[in-house]
């Protein structure tokens, strides 16, 4: 076997191990809570030695951070949300209404993944102040994403002329929030389709000159 093949095989094995650890951590953090889960539990669930987790991630806080980042992205590829195909496709839509439909669908897929781990993160921050320090406080990355979408939307045909980028960003940020998604989908039991239709219609009413979801 060539050195290149050996290197590729090792890299692939390391990637698979990392994914197993993250999957185990996600299941246990959601099931038992961040505070009640120790790294030995995660190691046993993932089928690795606990030393492997320390080697790959460093500590439990770092493991949680990567889990949150990977959950938001949908995979472990180093591609920012604003460079993801679903995001760029939405922003490339011809009209404001078309963009909203595509954007809400893509954002809902993110919210489906993020909602369970979001509760874990909230509890972890409450019990361990150092967890909050893992993310910068100067800029909310979720707002940056919504602001980018708002800038694209207000310049498209069909957008309300009187709506500023700031107002559009605020509406996207508020209505497409994990908190509101959880309220309707988990607490009130709305299926994904109903949520998508409602939030698209609501955003269209405020952001599109024609309104509605025709």
């Amino acid at each position: 076997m060539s050195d290149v093949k050996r290197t590729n095989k090792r890299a692939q094995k390391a990637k698979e191990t990392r994914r197993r650890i993250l999957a185990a951590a996600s299941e246990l953090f959601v099931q038992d809570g961040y505070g009640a889960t120790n790294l030995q539990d995660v190691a046993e669930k993932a089928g690795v030695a606990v030393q492997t987790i320390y080697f790959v991630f460093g500590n439990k806080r770092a493991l949680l951070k990567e889990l949150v980042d990977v959950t938001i992205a949908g995979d472990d590829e180093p591609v920012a949300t604003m460079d993801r195909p679903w995001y760029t496709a939405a922003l490339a839509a011809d009209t404001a209404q078309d963009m909203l439909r595509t954007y809400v669908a893509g954002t809902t897929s993110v919210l489906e993944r993020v909602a369970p781990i979001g509760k874990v993160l909230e509890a972890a921050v409450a019990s361990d102040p150092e967890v909050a320090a893992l993310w910068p406080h100067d800029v909310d990355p979720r707002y940056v994403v919504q602001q980018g979408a708002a800038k694209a939307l207000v310049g498209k045909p069909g957008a309300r002329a009187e709506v500023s980028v700031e107002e559009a960003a605020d509406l996207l940020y508020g209505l497409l929030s994990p908190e509101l998604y959880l309220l309707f989908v988990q607490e009130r039991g709305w299926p994904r389709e109903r949520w998508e239709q409602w939030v698209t219609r609501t955003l269209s009413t405020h952001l599109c000159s024609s309104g509605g979801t025709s």
Side-chain angles (χ1 to χ4, degrees):
M1 185 181 292
S2 69
D3 290 341
V4 172
K5 286 184 178 179
R6 287 194 188 93
T7 301
N8 289 341
K9 191 172 182 179
R10 284 197 298 269
Q12 184 61 36
K13 186 176 180 180
K15 204 168 189 179
E16 289 171 358
T17 298
R18 194 180 199 95
R19 286 173 177 169
R20 284 207 317 276
I21 294 169
L22 288 168
S26 177
E27 182 176 341
L28 292 173
F29 287 166
V30 171
Q31 175 185 291
D32 301 329
Y34 174 80
T37 301
N38 59 54
L39 292 186
Q40 184 61 51
D41 297 328
V42 176
E44 291 176 3
K45 187 77 176 176
V48 300
V50 70
Q51 289 84 358
T52 301
I53 298 181
Y54 284 112
F55 176 77
V56 174
F57 296 98
N59 55 45
K60 192 165 83 164
R61 295 186 190 98
L63 173 60
L64 176 64
K65 184 180 189 306
E66 178 144 352
L67 176 60
V68 172
D69 292 345
V70 168
T71 300
I72 292 171
D75 56 49
D76 54 5
E77 297 301 320
V79 180
T81 297
M82 295 174 75
D83 294 323
R84 294 268 163 179
W86 73 265
Y87 187 91
T88 56
L91 269 62
D94 292 332
T95 67
Q97 188 66 66
D98 288 341
M99 176 184 159
L100 272 180
R101 288 196 193 96
T102 306
Y103 189 71
V104 168
T107 303
T108 301
S109 293
V110 175
L111 290 172
E112 280 185 321
R113 297 192 302 268
V114 169
I117 205 67
K119 284 191 170 182
V120 172
L121 179 59
E122 184 179 343
V125 169
S127 64
D128 184 355
E130 291 187 40
V131 170
L134 296 173
W135 285 271
H137 295 280
D138 53 342
V139 178
D140 184 338
R142 193 170 71 80
Y143 184 80
V144 172
V145 169
Q146 305 298 5
Q147 187 179 49
K151 287 178 180 177
L153 187 140
V154 299
K156 291 184 182 296
R160 285 188 179 276
E162 70 274 18
V163 176
S164 66
V165 171
E166 182 179 13
E167 182 179 354
D170 287 347
L171 287 167
L172 292 172
Y173 184 79
L175 288 173
L176 294 174
S177 66
E179 295 82 4
L180 197 60
Y181 174 84
L182 283 172
L183 178 66
F184 281 99
V185 176
Q186 285 199 359
E187 294 189 29
R188 300 308 309 154
W190 283 22
R192 170 179 172 143
E193 293 75 17
R194 185 180 179 188
W195 158 261
E196 275 193 47
Q197 289 171 3
W198 174 80
V199 77
T200 301
R201 184 169 60 248
T202 303
L203 285 168
S204 296
T205 298
H206 292 282
L207 300 176
C208 298
S209 57
S210 57
T213 55
S214 59

